[in-house]
Amino acid sequence: MPDRYGQTALHVAASCEQPAVARSLVLLGANIHAKDGPLHDGETPAMVAARFGATEVIDVLDKYARRRLKMAGGRTELVPAASIFLKNAPPPFSPKRMRVPSMDEIK
């Protein structure tokens, strides 16, 4: 949920150069394409990370975006973030079989 300036937790993680927090937020479903408010020129978390020189956060966001596109087979529909970071993604529509990997497994 954005704050009164339109910034999400992912925007804050990017500006504070926190790749582990950014990774966790992405796993929990944070929108990597969210734009902050007009006070901040409508920047996405990746743009904020670039402005602050947070290269590790940029890597996390890029990795997520690339895997999401690959899993979607080039289509643009949404793919659950947690399944992107699993080495063996569960079959579709079986949330009982999904598990969120630990931070050590993601690296």
Side-chain angles (χ1 to χ4, degrees):
M1 180 170 181
D3 65 9
R4 62 183 172 170
Y5 302 109
Q7 291 193 321
T8 64
L10 194 52
H11 284 94
V12 176
S15 65
C16 294
E17 302 179 38
Q18 296 293 319
V21 174
R23 187 177 294 114
S24 295
L25 290 168
V26 167
L27 284 171
L28 292 171
N31 181 0
I32 65 169
H33 303 292
K35 293 185 178 181
D36 56 17
L39 183 64
H40 296 283
D41 298 325
E43 294 178 321
T44 64
M47 294 165 73
V48 172
R51 183 162 44 92
F52 283 92
T55 56
E56 291 180 26
V57 174
I58 293 170
D59 291 342
V60 166
L61 298 173
D62 183 56
K63 181 178 179 180
Y64 167 73
R66 287 176 187 273
R67 286 190 179 181
R68 180 176 149 187
L69 186 61
K70 182 178 178 181
M71 287 185 69
R75 298 183 311 269
T76 57
E77 69 251 13
L78 296 177
V79 175
S83 67
I84 290 170
F85 287 100
L86 293 173
K87 291 184 179 176
N88 298 313
F93 309 108
S94 63
K96 291 181 182 178
R97 296 184 61 192
M98 290 183 73
R99 71 173 187 80
V100 178
S102 68
M103 294 304 292
D104 294 331
E105 292 175 306
I106 295 171
K107 292 180 183 180

